[in-house]
Amino acid sequence: GKVGAALQLDGQGAINLGDVGNFDILNRFSYSFWVKFEEGAQGTILARMKDDDALSGMCFVLSPEKTLQLNFVSRWLDDALR
């Protein structure tokens, strides 16, 4: 945070928050977070994906072009919004 209480992550690991946000793309939800990126940063910011062949779930990703990408996935191959 502004006074030093925020997490500092180096992009080399992950934080497992357990079974929170247990809903799917048909449920209403909202997320809010502040992120400050270092120069050259990219990758997944927040994700909740099932560990199966369909990779169903959602994720927020910072693209190499520095745009925020939000993926909603029911089945990655043929039922996803990006």
Side-chain angles (χ1 to χ4, degrees):
K2 213 171 190 179
V3 225
L7 293 173
Q8 288 190 345
L9 306 171
D10 63 7
Q12 302 302 309
I15 298 173
N16 186 338
L17 300 176
D19 192 24
V20 297
N22 191 12
F23 51 84
D24 63 26
I25 63 174
L26 299 177
N27 299 110
R28 294 179 182 192
F29 68 94
S30 65
Y31 276 103
S32 177
F33 49 86
W34 287 91
V35 180
K36 180 180 178 183
F37 298 103
E38 299 290 329
E39 184 66 33
Q42 64 181 3
T44 302
I45 300 166
L46 177 69
R48 179 166 175 103
M49 308 291 284
K50 290 184 180 173
D51 192 16
D52 59 13
D53 290 340
L55 294 174
S56 57
M58 51 76 61
C59 62
F60 293 89
V61 178
L62 179 64
S63 75
E65 296 80 26
K66 303 298 179 245
T67 58
L68 184 62
Q69 177 179 307
L70 176 56
N71 300 319
F72 293 104
V73 181
S74 179
R75 206 173 86 145
W76 189 250
L77 292 176
D78 60 4
D79 192 10
L81 294 173
R82 185 178 199 182

